[in-house]
Amino acid sequence: METLKFKTTIKCGGCIATVTPVLNNLDGVQKWEVDTANPDKVLTVDTNKGLNPNEVISALKAKGFQAEVIK
């Protein structure tokens, strides 16, 4: 399993509700969560299929959110 982390602009429960359908439907996503208490609003995605981080970034961008990979 691989864990990807992103700094995002997902700030609240309403934002999470907006991104839930796209993240749940991304191929390869096992589990995801957003730490909205963290100043960087860290999205953690667990994957077992070598999910390309750009797929997550594009999916979030389509819903109006920004994300960048945390290394």
Side-chain angles (χ1 to χ4, degrees):
M1 181 179 299
E2 182 181 3
T3 300
L4 304 173
K5 290 186 180 265
F6 302 86
K7 176 181 176 181
T8 73
T9 56
I10 300 169
K11 299 177 186 168
C12 63
C15 299
I16 291 172
T18 300
V19 301
T20 292
V22 292
L23 290 175
N24 285 349
N25 289 324
L26 269 181
D27 192 29
V29 172
Q30 292 286 303
K31 183 179 94 175
W32 63 270
E33 64 183 3
V34 179
D35 181 0
T36 57
N38 185 306
D40 286 339
K41 312 302 181 199
V42 176
L43 166 66
T44 303
V45 178
D46 290 335
T47 177
N48 65 357
K49 290 183 71 175
L51 179 67
N52 185 328
N54 289 329
E55 293 180 61
V56 175
I57 292 170
S58 293
L60 293 179
K61 187 174 182 180
K63 290 295 183 180
F65 297 95
Q66 296 180 354
E68 63 183 76
V69 175
I70 299 172
K71 297 187 179 192

